[in-house]
Amino acid sequence: MNNVTIAICNYNYERYLAAAIDSALAQDYPATKVMVVDDGSTDGSRAIIESYGERVQAVFKSNGGQVSAYNHAIELIDTEYVIFLDSDDVLYPSAVSEVMRLFESGAWAKVQFRLDVMDSEGARTGASVPNSEPPQDCGKLLRAGWLYPSPPASGNAYRVSALKQIFPVPEEGINRYGADFYAIYGVALTGPIATVRKSLGGYRVHNAGGDTVSFANSEQLTKAPRAFSMRWAILRNIARDRLDIQLAPTFLDFSLEKATFCSHVYHARLFSRWRWMLRDSRSYLHTIVANPFWGPKKKLGTLVLSSLCLVPYSPLSDFAVRYIANPLARRRAAGR
């Protein structure tokens, strides 16, 4: 039986940390180790971690950001497989068993699985992520610049030897966060990706309302494009220098284009909405029409919804934008 590490990187999440650790310790896969890397928390996290004694491998380091925590964890992990569990998320008891069944069936670099979306109190909202499944050979599309559909960090299990081809990642300057970007997309350059077609954990969304375009715990809409562009440039350098792989100069990702779309048309005047759609929506529309991960029905539906932002009735326009951007808005609409 292969050993697996669940690595929990934590910074000031004392409110949720115990639930994450408990879910890791509750796995029904016997050869599961639990590592908690605390990135210089200033709240009560250290006391919570220490209360578990030898049941977890506790690692305390000075604050350096998420990339620093991933770099440190990957250096210390002594198993061939790892799940990086965010300290505000949880895994269901069979998560490790399910992913190991797939790992043992082939030379997968990563096994990903869906996550149920939870609110800040841990209650399930009825939504799950991601909503699309990637092909096994994501690397081919990634070389052409397409970021494939992936769950957030906690929905990914990795072969550690694949991660070590990508990490360590530079920690300097503004590249303190987004470590999961390098893990999720970098590993796809080293081997095929497998998908478990059910939810194996819970993803906590701290702003879990369906009446906003905000979803997940990501960067602000105005900051996301710059951050993603910087990460793609760093990943290109890593791919070239360590893997001898040339990535496209720019990348294509509907999630990012969606953020740009929302920032320009949500709550905007009719004239502004029309102007953006007529002048600046080319990249957004391209990631819908040319999306290699979507079928015709989803493409057509997204185009129709996007066109509703041009109607004079702003409540309908804003609802369409929320429906596109926030999966929780879809659940709310279905429940009416």
Side-chain angles (χ1 to χ4, degrees), residues 34-38 46 49-50 53-60 76:
V34 180
M35 172 189 291
V36 185
V37 179
D38 187 79
R46 184 177 187 117
I49 296 167
E50 290 176 337
E54 296 183 355
R55 289 187 292 167
V56 305
Q57 179 183 355
V59 180
F60 299 102
L76 295 174

Side-chain angles (χ1 to χ4, degrees), residues 254-272:
F254 175 72
S255 294
L256 186 62
E257 293 298 334
K258 177 176 66 177
T260 303
F261 166 73
C262 293
S263 68
H264 284 89
V265 304
Y266 191 58
H267 287 333
R269 294 178 303 164
L270 180 63
F271 173 77
S272 298

